[in-house]
Amino acid sequence: MDFDTIAAIATAPGEAGIGIIRISGKNAIDVGDKIFKNKKQLSLKQCEERKLNYGYAIDPKDGRKIDEVLMVYIKAPYTYTKEDVVEINCHGGTIPVRKILEVVLENGARLAERGEFTKRAFLNGRIDLSQAEAVMDLISAKTDSSFDVSLNQLEGSISSEVRVIQNVLLGMLAHVEASIDFPEDDVEDLTYNELQKNGNLVLEKINKLLSTVYTGKILREGLKTVILGKPNVGKSSLLNAILRENRAIVTDIPGTTRDVIEEYVNINGVPLKIVDTAGIRETEDIVERLGVDKAKELLNEADLVIAVFDTSTELSKEDFDIINLIKDKKVIILLNKSDLPSKIDEKDMNKYLPGKRIINTSMSKNEGIDKLEEIIEDMFLSSEVKISNNTIITNVRHRDQLLKAKENIDDALNSLGLNMPLDCIEVDIKNSWENLGEITGDTVGEDIIDKIFSEFCIGK
């Protein structure tokens, strides 16, 4: 597609060894040529393609040097955007990159919109939409596992799976249309049997992809883990111990934590979005009560609950309230303050919360944290969220389209079972094909494309 020329800073803001300004579009090399002064007095166009060329970024109005740079140009279509691309490597820092970008914009380029480089890569056919979305997942990956999954998607793993299913659906559509166009061949029974067989194959493949959604959610967002307990049992100390830093304020005064504290942590490759909450208790303090209500709300959204109990005191009404809240959740129980004389033990907790994993801990002596991390890793790697080499659905939009495709193929199979007319069945099969096309971008609307790329950073 014939686009104008865009430019943006491609490196993160702040002090660094280098900063990079990227230019893409039909006039990219002309723009680069205007602002580049080569040490050998060569123009950029006279320099060798795909090699870094040493010189200065200049303001062409007066020839003033802006910074010492290395500049490279690459001609279409062998670039990220499939357009002519120029990249300027200058000294890192806010001022050098900003000054060079300003000169670039004054000499024929405009500032890129969010995600516009990747959007052009998609619109020019270099990558499909699922691969484009994987770019941001790759950038925002918080663990090695999520990075590997994103890289797999960038290489086209989801696209490949989806297109296999789409090809089966296209075969079904061809079969239906042939039967409608040539009814005299009298192959209706064969057609229905063939459609039933292929429809079940499509359903099986869609269900296989949907079975990875929970794993994908955790890899993308982290295992949402809520720390729950009554005041002063060691919740904030636990958060600090897991993070290996003093993130939460810890005092002997009950009710110190009033608001929710959220942090990401990587435990042996398992991404955790860990949430410290206000202590669960009845209180007249309005602010603390709001914190307690928020803690209960977060509990309903949690993938995992770490419930902390104080072993140095008898179980209280607040403890029993917490037990009732968590009995149907995936829970790890911490019996904290095990360095003090004990009033409750594992046997007591098993009576009220049978089958839950229990660990004796002492936050003051940093005991039991290693065991907690081992259990979290074991729960993640040995349960239904086990990561394999299969394609994993990490994107909510992909999940929604798979669910729609499944619903449509289910409708088609039900209609086949009732021997409904083929033209009715054709509609459901076509809808299922189009649902899957929205994942790769084959059938997606412009508004969806704009929404996806608006969430990217400007330089990508």
Side-chain angles (χ1 to χ4, degrees):
M1 300 182 71
D2 190 20
F3 293 110
D4 59 352
T5 302
I6 57 172
I9 297 167
T11 45
E15 295 180 4
I18 62 169
I20 298 175
I21 297 92
R22 178 178 292 147
I23 312 169
S24 179
K26 58 187 177 182
N27 298 321
I29 298 173
D30 289 332
V31 172
D33 198 31
K34 286 181 186 177
I35 69 161
F36 182 58
K37 185 175 182 181
N38 181 265
K39 273 285 189 179
K40 297 179 180 178
Q41 304 302 315
L42 298 173
S43 70
L44 182 62
K45 293 177 182 178
Q46 292 174 314
C47 296
E48 194 171 347
E49 183 189 0
R50 293 179 175 270
K51 286 194 175 180
L52 289 169
N53 298 283
Y54 173 61
Y56 293 94
I58 63 166
D59 187 338
K61 291 199 301 286
D62 53 16
R64 176 177 53 87
K65 293 178 182 177
I66 300 171
D67 191 18
E68 193 176 28
V69 301
L70 294 170
M71 195 176 295
V72 61
Y73 73 93
I74 311 168
K75 290 184 178 179
Y78 306 107
T79 66
Y80 182 69
T81 57
K82 292 192 78 173
E83 303 171 333
D84 288 348
V85 167
V86 171
E87 287 195 355
I88 306 166
N89 293 255
C90 64
H91 289 98
T94 305
I95 303 302
V97 290
R98 179 178 59 78
K99 284 192 169 187
I100 293 174
L101 178 63
E102 285 173 356
V103 172
V104 167
L105 298 179
E106 289 169 2
N107 285 275
R110 68 165 172 83
L111 185 64
E113 298 173 359
R114 285 181 173 273
E116 191 169 2
F117 291 96
T118 307
K119 184 177 181 180
R120 290 189 178 198
F122 163 65
L123 293 173
N124 287 326
R126 184 183 175 277
I127 55 177
D128 66 34
L129 197 54
S130 68
Q131 290 173 293
E133 289 169 300
V135 171
M136 277 309 295
D137 289 345
L138 202 66
I139 292 169
S140 59
K142 296 176 178 64
T143 66
D144 289 346
S145 298
S146 56
F147 180 88
D148 291 342
V149 168
S150 300
L151 185 60
N152 198 27
Q153 291 177 1
L154 182 58
E155 291 172 350
S157 61
I158 288 179
S159 314
S160 299
E161 295 280 350
V162 166
R163 290 202 167 99
V164 166
I165 302 172
Q166 282 188 299
N167 285 336
V168 177
L169 289 167
L170 281 174
M172 293 172 70
L173 285 170
H175 216 104
V176 169
E177 289 172 6
S179 297
I180 292 172
D181 292 342
F182 305 102
E184 66 276 5
D185 291 347
D186 197 24
V187 292
E188 192 167 293
D189 288 341
L190 288 173
T191 297
Y192 275 78
N193 290 336
E194 187 71 19
L195 291 175
Q196 193 86 38
K197 175 185 169 185
N198 286 329
N200 284 322
L201 177 62
V202 168
L203 192 61
E204 179 187 334
K205 288 183 176 294
I206 291 175
N207 282 331
K208 184 178 178 183
L209 288 173
L210 285 171
S211 69
T212 68
V213 165
Y214 182 62
T215 305
K217 173 182 176 292
I218 290 170
L219 286 172
R220 185 184 176 97
E221 301 173 11
L223 191 71
K224 191 162 188 179
T225 305
V226 173
I227 303 174
L228 206 67
K230 67 184 181 184
N232 210 30
V233 294
K235 299 186 302 302
S236 296
S237 297
L238 172 62
L239 176 69
N240 291 340
I242 292 173
L243 297 176
R244 271 61 171 183
E245 63 174 277
N246 292 324
R247 173 66 177 82
I249 298 171
V250 177
T251 73
D252 294 329
I253 303 169
T256 300
T257 302
R258 298 185 172 203
D259 200 0
V260 170
I261 300 174
E262 292 187 2
E263 287 288 341
Y264 279 97
V265 63
N266 179 353
I267 295 181
N268 300 327
V270 180
L272 257 67
K273 182 182 181 182
I274 194 160
V275 184
D276 183 22
T277 61
I280 303 294
R281 68 169 176 175
E282 295 294 330
T283 176
E284 296 300 320
D285 187 301
I286 295 174
V287 176
E288 188 180 354
R289 194 188 315 146
L290 289 171
V292 172
D293 291 341
K294 183 66 176 176
K296 292 178 180 178
E297 180 185 324
L298 288 166
L299 178 64
N300 295 326
E301 304 168 3
D303 299 306
L304 175 66
V305 178
I306 301 176
V308 187
F309 295 90
D310 183 353
T311 61
S312 67
T313 63
E314 299 285 350
L315 289 174
S316 64
K317 177 184 178 301
E318 287 89 355
D319 289 319
F320 283 110
D321 287 342
I322 291 165
I323 287 169
N324 288 327
L325 287 170
I326 65 175
K327 60 186 178 183
D328 296 323
K329 303 289 290 183
K330 186 178 286 188
V331 179
I332 300 173
I333 297 167
L334 299 192
L335 299 180
N336 193 33
K337 305 187 182 181
S338 59
D339 52 313
L340 301 176
S342 179
K343 298 288 182 68
I344 55 173
D345 56 22
E346 292 185 34
K347 185 177 177 183
D348 296 319
M349 295 310 300
N350 271 319
K351 188 176 8 173
Y352 301 111
L353 291 166
K356 307 296 185 185
R357 300 202 188 209
I358 301 173
I359 309 171
N360 287 297
T361 63
S362 171
M363 292 302 122
S364 62
K365 298 195 172 185
N366 202 30
E367 294 175 354
I369 301 301
D370 291 343
K371 181 66 176 174
L372 172 63
E373 292 179 350
E374 286 173 15
I375 288 177
I376 291 172
E377 181 185 11
D378 180 62
M379 290 175 75
F380 185 83
L381 296 179
S382 65
S383 69
E384 67 272 18
V385 297
K386 184 174 181 180
I387 301 172
S388 67
N389 292 324
N390 296 330
T391 301
I392 295 174
I393 302 299
T394 59
N395 190 298
V396 174
R397 192 182 70 84
H398 299 172
R399 179 205 65 189
D400 290 345
Q401 293 307 317
L402 284 167
L403 288 170
K404 289 177 183 177
K406 178 183 176 181
E407 183 181 350
N408 279 306
I409 202 65
D410 270 334
D411 289 343
L413 288 169
N414 289 334
S415 298
L416 284 165
L418 296 170
N419 286 323
M420 296 281 285
L422 286 174
D423 51 352
C424 296
I425 296 166
E426 181 184 21
V427 172
D428 291 323
I429 297 172
K430 188 175 181 182
N431 286 341
S432 186
W433 181 85
E434 288 179 348
N435 296 144
L436 295 173
E438 291 216 16
I439 295 174
T440 58
D442 296 336
T443 60
V444 74
E446 189 176 342
D447 55 337
I448 300 295
I449 293 172
D450 291 341
K451 173 69 169 62
I452 289 168
F453 289 106
S454 70
E455 297 173 1
F456 278 51
C457 54
I458 289 175
K460 198 62 182 176

